[in-house]
Structure formats: C-alpha cells, structure tokens
Amino acid sequence: MAEAFPIRKIIHVDMDAFYASVEQLDNPDLVGKPVAVGGGGKRGVVSAASYEARKFGVRSAMSGVLARQRCPELIFVRPRFDRYKEISTAIHKIFHEYTDLVEPLSLDEAYLDVTENKKGNPSATLVARDIRDRIKEKTGLNASAGISVNKFVAKVASDINKPNGQKTVPPEEVIEFLEGLDIKKFYGVGKVMKEKMYRLGIFTGKDLKSKPIEFLEEHFGKSGAYYFNIVRGIQNSQVKPTRTRKSLAAERTFSENISSEVFMLERLEDIAAEVERRLKKSKVAGKTITLKIKYSDFTLQTRSRTLPYFVSTKELLMENVKDLLFQDKMRESVRLLGISLSNLNNEDKTKEDKPPPENSIDVQLKLDF
Amino acid sequence: MKFIVSSSYLLKQLQVLGGIINSNNTLPILDNFLFDLDGNTLNVSASDLETTISSKLDVESSEKGSVCIPARLLLDTLKTFPEQPLTFTVEDNNTVEISSNHGKYALAYASGEEFPNPVELKDPFSTTIQGDILATAISKTIFASGNDDLRPVMSGVFFQFSTESLTFVATDAHKLVKYSRADVTANQTAEFIMPKKPLNLLKGILAASEEDVIIEYNESNAKFSFDNTEMVCRLIDGKYPNYEAVIPKENPNRLTIDRTQFLNSVRRVSIFSNKTTHQIRLKCAGAELNISAEDIDYSNKAEERLTCDYQGDDMQIGFNSRFLTEMLNNLTSDDVSLEMSLPNRAGILTPVDGLDEGEEITMLVMPVMLNN
C-alpha cells in the first residue's frame, strides 16, 4: 500500500551536542570535560550538555541547580548564539551541495530530501555518510544521521547510533522498525500522550497498529488518523525548504520573582524591545499580542488580544501589553514574563486573494469611547 | 375666520417652518401647517412630533380661530405668486379660500385642535446666545456627528454649558470636534444632546442674525426663541461619551501648514486613493510634508510634497482623506496645526489664526492603520 507513493529518501541530520561541541571546539580547555551551555545561576537552564556531562545525567532543559547537583564539576558556559548561527550556516551550505530540499528544524537539525540529489548518488546512506564527513572536515564537529522513507522514521533513526553515527531504515524494514518502536519514541508523543497510550495498552508500534482507526480517533481526536498512518509508514509531509513563521516571541525568567507591576512593566519594556528587534529582522508584523505570565508556582497564564491592524513597534506592543498586564490581578509573584506576536502578515497571500483580503484593507481606527 | 397677509412674507416664513415637515408622515396631520389666528397676530406652526417650530406673523384681521392647512399645497401655490396681498377665508364647507389678484383657490382644512400641542417646558433653565454665534457653533460641529442608530447619542451635538463657557461637541468616533466659547456663559452648568435635524434648521435661520437667541432647557426638551420664532424639540436621551478622555493630552509631533494648500493637496491626492478606504498617507520629516495615495486595484498613485513647519520625530500616518477634507474645509483660518503622536493615535487639528477672543476649536481625527 505504501507503494502507491514514490519512495522518498529522507535524511535527518542532527548535530551531536551542538552548542556544547562548538564550545569545546573553540576552547580546547573544555575538551573531555563536562560542559553545559546555559545559565549557571539560580534560575539558569541547561541549553545543551556535552557527552561528558550527559554521563552524569545532565540533560538539556534541566535546571542549572539540578545539573550542578548531578555533576559538581560541570562547567557552565554562556551561550553564544551568533557563533552557533555561523557554524549552522556553514553546515547548511554543505547540505545545499547535495540538495535544495532542506528543512531546518533548528540550528543543529534539518531534514534533507535526497531522492534526487545534486551528486546523482542513488544511495541515501552514502550521501548521509558523505555529508557527515564533510561537516567534520569543515567544522570539526560530529553529526548523526537517520535515513529512511519519511521524516518521522528518519528522525527516530538518527537517534539510534548517536553520537557520530547513522542508521538507515530501508523501505522494506520500515514497518518492522515501527512495530518494534517504543510508543514514547513516536514523534508527537510526549509525557502526557505516553501515559494515555500506556493506559490504553499501547506500548509499542505494534500495539498501536493493532488498533482500528475509529478507536484511535475516539481517543485521540484529530491526531488519531495521524497515528494510524504513521505506524504504517505513511507520512507524506514534504521537506519544506522554507517554513513560514507563525509567531514571534521573547521572554525572560527573572533571577528573583517580582510582584510589583511597576517592575514588570520595566522588564516588559526590554522584552518588547527585543520582540521589536526580532520583528525588524524577520520583516514581519502581527495582529495578536499575547502576554505570557509564569507565576512563582510555575502555573502559566496567557492573556492575549487581537488588534484590527498589524503592529511591529515597541510602543504599540507596550501599549497593548500594558492593558493586558493590568487587565487582571496577578495571582502570585511572577518568575517569567514573555511577549509573543502571532497572526503575522507573512501568511500565504495567494490564499487570501479570493475573498476580499481583510488583511490588506487598512483599518480605520475609532476613538475609544 | 379671515385674514389678509402679504404673499411673499408668508411664503418666507412658511418655507423656514416647512423644513421640519417630514416627507412621509405616519401621522397625516403633520403634513399641515397650523394657523392660529388671534387678531393681528397669526401663529403658524409645523411639527414632526420631535420638534415643533412656530412663527408669529403680522396680519390684518380682527378674528380668532385655528385651522390646519396642507403644507405642500399651500407652499406650491404661494411660490407662484408675485408679491401681493392674499385673503384667507375659512368657509363653512370645510375649505379655506385664498383669494389673490388672479383668482380663488380652495383647500380642504382640518380643525386646529387636531394638531399636536407643543411641549410645555417645565422648570427650564435659560441661557442667551447671539444667533450667529450659535449658528457658527452648529456648523463647526454638526458635520462630525454620527449616523449610527446603535449609538443615538452620537447622532447629535452635545451642548455643554457652564458659568465659564459654552461648549459644543460632535463625534462619530472617527472624528470629533469640540467648539467652545469662553465669551458666552450660562448661569448654571447644564448638558444636553440636541438632535441634528432642528440644529440644521437653526443653522440656516440664524446664519447672519445678530439677534439674541434664548435657549431654555430641562431634562427632556429644549426651546430656542428668537425674533418671532420659537422652536421646541425633544432632546436625545442618553449619556454622551466622555469625550475629554479621548483627547490626547500630549501630541509632541506638530505640523503647521497653510490650510488651503494642505486642503487642495489632500483633495487632489485623494482622487488617487482607494475608493472604499479613501486612505492617504502623510509623511512628515524635516520641513516637508509628503502626501501620497495609492489604489492598488487600479494602479493609481499620487504623491505631493509641501513645505511646512514640522517639529517632532519623522513619522508616517494614514488618514481617511474625506475626514481631513471635511475638517479642513470647515475651518477658515489661514494656517492650521496638526498635532500627532503615534500612527495609531488621534491627530489634533486646530486653526492657528482667525479665531475670536475666547473662541476655541479642537478637531480630532483617528488615523487609518497603514499596512506596510
């Protein structure tokens, strides 16, 4: 049944402990030592950990305090995103030597569709090896790769022989591979979904496959069909070279919880300035402004409002953020504030051409009575 | 009942009163003028139930009585006469006979008692204002009032009287005009919302009149008395929006420019603007104002540059050109000043010169948010 579609060759390339490896590369003193990139302060979070650190159980997204508990020798390094970006660009250049169908997921991860590649190499496995060699040669960094017929399997596969390895799941093995896969490895299955699946007696791909689509849709709603297909090796999601941004945000965690709105406003000014900077860089503006508030008890609250027009400046952002901030009382002191802007004006214009494009009509504003 | 009156004198008065008569009345009696005769005084009234306006005319008579005469028929007839005395006689056969130099005309009449009585104002306050000042106040503000049935209060002009000044405000939420006179005051503070129709009538009648107008008002009605005329109207019920709150206190970017030049440029450029939004773009930088418009649907485009006096940050702001045109047109000064802050905040348009002592005009216009 999968034969109905032309078999594609997708490679998922994932840099090994990217940020940490870059730091070790640039600073040889760090080589062979447990390194964590991120803030080491009270509220710092580990963005990336070197393999030496991972042995101690240090993981990315772990709090700095916990990481230090697990590995007292851990060396914290401040992230240097500009440098990572620079290396990422170099790596992308290598990708483009093989194919233009590159979909970046983040600075250190990307999907490549090499069904037809510029080198004319029919073996995706060899292409992947080639790419990894080139990355090592150019940047001195290790990359892992997963090769298969769709993005999902390729991504799962890239984890198998990590670090500095690769895994090919050929078309004839895809079904078997998926059947044997622990359900928690499925893309889109997080902690909550895993619990739910386990409760329903779904532990592996095989269990998932045994369930009829109706059953899945009943329990998982719209995602049901996705799971039904994915476990059968059906995923037609294309490798999209450009993704349109859906939202843009900036946020800050404070070293001390704040409870006064005055101080919050002060911080929000900075955050708004950052959002403005990012908006300028991406050349977008947005209509929906969301204020994100994380209280000291870690509960999250968002307040948002959609304007009839697009905003892109700090002043306009702040004007609305201020309203959102004062709209309601703060339940607790606040540990994190963030501003996000969505409903951006970079959406596919072709879609909106048919009905009168509401977005392009400039909006007459009203006095606020 | 019989009286003699000059044809042109009568026509002139009736034409003023006729302005209040609706073209399609649900109450047929309102299609009539009420003629109320008391010796040498003829009191003629017209009404649309909301507003009743009446004038006292000098006629030659020694009788009493009241009749309702079809307004349309009477006006059409009077218009055709050259100046001459006309004799009105109420006949027994339910007709009024008019005799002129040319002949006789009979109109069916209804009894004067059928005509609705004008409202008597209970415990009114009263303020006196010169006719042309009131007319100016009306004409400066009324164009800015709204037509939204959902917000009836904004379909009128807000009269705000105090012991320091009289203030008149109109807004449709897109634009707002506040006209105040510190040289005319009331004995007590009072606020009421006048509907547009009677104001338009007053504006016409009082345009060049230096006569005093006595305004009496209570909770629900207002009465304007001047010369030989009285107008009683029902006020718009409701609370006027807190307009003071929307007038920006600080608009740091100030543009000063020749009004006629600005108006002409806006008019020309707006021809090229989008036909539904009428939106034009103002760019202020240095001593230059750049006005541009574009209609993408038709690839029409225009741009003009004007020298101006501009103090503030470089900025771009969009406006509906019709609002700007209306407002600039309504002003009479040589120069105007437009004060702005942000592209989503109201701009304040004020005349720089040509105001009387104590006279103040503030016009607000909300921008159009530009999508760049």
Side-chain angles (χ1 to χ4, degrees), chain A residues 28-308:
Chain A
D29 289 352
L30 298 175
V31 176
K33 294 183 181 152
V35 177
V37 177
K42 238 166 101 184
R43 294 247 163 114
V45 170
V46 177
S47 302
S50 72
Y51 278 91
E52 294 82 1
R54 289 188 195 192
K55 278 183 205 140
F56 291 91
V58 178
R59 297 276 178 271
S60 42
M62 183 178 272
S63 82
V65 176
L66 183 59
R68 208 179 279 281
Q69 269 175 20
R70 294 212 175 162
C71 174
E73 272 102 86
L74 193 62
I75 303 164
F76 275 95
V77 185
R78 286 228 146 264
R80 297 176 300 152
F81 288 102
D82 290 343
R83 174 72 179 139
Y84 309 147
K85 177 93 194 169
E86 188 183 317
I87 293 181
S88 176
T89 315
I91 295 169
H92 277 259
K93 249 194 206 130
I94 297 172
F95 293 158
H96 281 276
E97 289 171 15
Y98 295 86
T99 176
D100 285 329
L101 289 174
V102 179
E103 177 178 332
L105 289 175
S106 61
L107 285 179
D108 62 337
E109 252 183 280
Y111 289 120
L112 284 72
D113 187 332
V114 295
T115 316
E116 286 167 34
N117 59 69
K118 293 179 183 174
K119 306 276 177 186
N121 192 337
S123 163
T125 307
L126 294 180
V127 171
R129 174 148 305 142
D130 229 22
I131 289 174
R132 288 177 45 235
D133 288 349
R134 292 271 295 133
I135 292 174
K136 179 80 185 172
E137 175 193 325
K138 270 249 159 150
T139 66
L141 298 173
N142 292 327
S144 298
I147 305 99
S148 192
V149 296
N150 64 36
K151 292 206 276 195
F152 165 61
V153 182
K155 186 169 167 79
V156 176
S158 72
D159 249 2
I160 290 174
N161 290 324
K162 217 173 190 0
N164 200 15
Q166 65 181 61
K167 165 78 183 167
T168 305
V169 183
E172 61 275 13
E173 289 173 23
V174 167
I175 303 292
E176 196 186 330
F177 175 80
L178 289 171
E179 281 183 357
L181 202 61
D182 190 329
I183 205 70
K184 71 180 179 207
K185 293 264 185 182
F186 276 75
Y187 187 69
V189 178
K191 241 195 267 171
V192 177
M193 190 55 90
K194 185 185 90 179
E195 286 303 318
K196 198 166 174 186
M197 294 260 191
Y198 279 10
R199 272 207 311 277
L200 291 168
I202 304 171
F203 297 98
T204 64
K206 192 169 183 153
D207 299 333
L208 181 62
K209 202 173 174 181
S210 66
K211 305 290 181 211
I213 187 159
E214 293 78 15
F215 175 87
L216 296 175
E217 278 181 342
E218 187 193 321
H219 286 93
F220 308 118
K222 271 191 238 161
S223 324
Y226 165 80
Y227 292 124
F228 182 84
N229 284 324
I230 201 110
V231 74
R232 287 167 175 74
I234 303 169
Q235 189 204 27
N236 294 314
S237 164
Q238 297 297 313
V239 171
K240 297 181 204 91
T242 49
R243 287 185 166 205
T244 41
R245 184 184 260 297
K246 294 247 167 69
S247 71
L248 197 148
E251 59 182 47
R252 295 272 181 282
T253 306
F254 311 120
S255 46
E256 301 283 340
N257 294 340
I258 20 184
S259 43
S260 151
E261 271 92 348
V262 183
F263 289 126
M264 292 184 203
L265 270 184
E266 213 170 90
R267 302 305 179 94
L268 284 168
E269 290 271 353
D270 293 343
I271 299 171
E274 176 63 21
V275 173
E276 181 189 56
R277 205 182 58 76
R278 293 180 186 178
L279 286 169
K280 281 227 172 80
K281 210 167 140 198
S282 327
K283 295 199 179 72
V284 290
K287 276 185 177 178
T288 303
I289 297 171
T290 307
L291 173 66
K292 176 175 167 186
I293 304 163
K294 199 187 253 176
Y295 292 107
S296 47
D297 61 358
F298 284 89
T299 50
L300 192 68
Q301 191 184 48
T302 57
R303 302 172 179 177
S304 75
R305 75 150 52 146
T306 299
L307 304 168

Side-chain angles (χ1 to χ4, degrees), chain A residues 316 319 359 362-364 367, chain B residues 173 279 344-345 366 369 371:
Chain A
L316 287 177
E319 191 179 301
N359 285 348
D362 300 292
V363 184
Q364 171 67 54
L367 291 164
Chain B
Q279 171 221 312
N344 70 331
R345 297 284 182 78
M366 279 308 275
M369 207 56 197
N371 277 330

Side-chain angles (χ1 to χ4, degrees), chain B residues 104-344:
Chain B
K104 290 195 272 187
Y105 324 90
L107 293 77
Y109 73 85
S111 156
E113 281 154 27
E114 288 179 38
F115 203 82
N117 288 324
V119 183
E120 287 293 328
L121 265 71
K122 285 198 189 81
D123 321 316
F125 290 117
S126 141
T127 300
T128 305
I129 179 169
Q130 195 173 303
D132 53 353
I133 292 181
L134 181 59
T136 310
I138 296 169
S139 66
K140 291 284 177 216
T141 49
I142 200 163
F143 78 96
S145 60
N147 289 311
D148 188 355
D149 292 336
L150 295 174
R151 301 199 68 175
V153 290
M154 298 209 307
S155 70
V157 174
F158 185 47
F159 283 46
Q160 204 173 25
F161 292 174
S162 78
T163 49
E164 272 124 47
S165 64
L166 305 190
T167 302
F168 305 84
V169 182
T171 182
D172 64 356
H174 294 135
K175 53 189 184 296
L176 180 146
V177 181
K178 175 187 174 193
Y179 180 83
S180 48
R181 303 284 309 208
D183 54 341
V184 196
T185 57
N187 294 328
Q188 65 289 312
T189 52
E191 297 180 343
F192 54 90
I193 308 166
M194 275 292 295
K196 244 189 275 198
K197 191 175 166 191
L199 286 182
N200 266 322
L201 211 63
L202 280 176
K203 185 177 82 171
I205 304 170
L206 296 171
S209 150
E210 293 193 359
E211 290 266 347
D212 276 346
V213 178
I214 301 165
I215 311 176
E216 290 166 277
Y217 41 88
N218 63 14
E219 296 260 289
S220 50
N221 294 280
K223 180 169 164 185
F224 296 78
S225 317
F226 48 93
D227 287 335
N228 54 352
T229 306
E230 272 185 4
M231 185 168 95
V232 183
C233 52
R234 189 178 304 158
L235 300 172
I236 297 178
D237 193 26
K239 191 170 159 32
Y240 205 74
N242 180 11
Y243 70 91
E244 288 288 0
V246 302
I247 301 179
K249 299 284 170 291
E250 206 172 309
N251 272 9
N253 303 329
R254 185 183 157 110
L255 169 85
T256 311
I257 193 164
D258 182 287
R259 184 182 63 89
T260 329
Q261 252 185 28
F262 188 23
L263 174 60
N264 289 340
S265 282
V266 169
R267 275 194 178 138
R268 261 192 308 276
V269 169
S270 69
I271 298 171
F272 293 82
S273 68
N274 179 291
K275 294 290 169 283
T276 48
T277 63
H278 305 280
Q279 171 221 312
I280 58 165
R281 183 187 299 252
L282 307 187
K283 270 185 237 173
C284 310
E288 193 178 80
L289 169 66
N290 178 306
I291 309 177
S292 61
E294 191 173 7
D295 189 348
I296 298 166
D297 299 347
Y298 298 96
S299 301
N300 296 338
K301 213 167 159 181
E303 183 180 341
E304 290 200 15
R305 284 155 196 273
L306 294 175
T307 36
C308 64
D309 179 23
Y310 181 66
Q311 257 136 29
D313 303 332
D314 290 1
M315 71 177 295
Q316 260 196 62
I317 187 165
F319 285 113
N320 182 326
S321 58
R322 286 197 305 179
F323 297 161
L324 275 189
T325 317
E326 273 179 311
M327 294 166 71
L328 288 169
N329 230 340
N330 194 271
L331 294 170
T332 47
S333 62
D334 294 335
D335 288 337
V336 290
S337 129
L338 180 60
E339 287 166 44
M340 298 160 284
S341 59
L342 291 172
N344 70 331

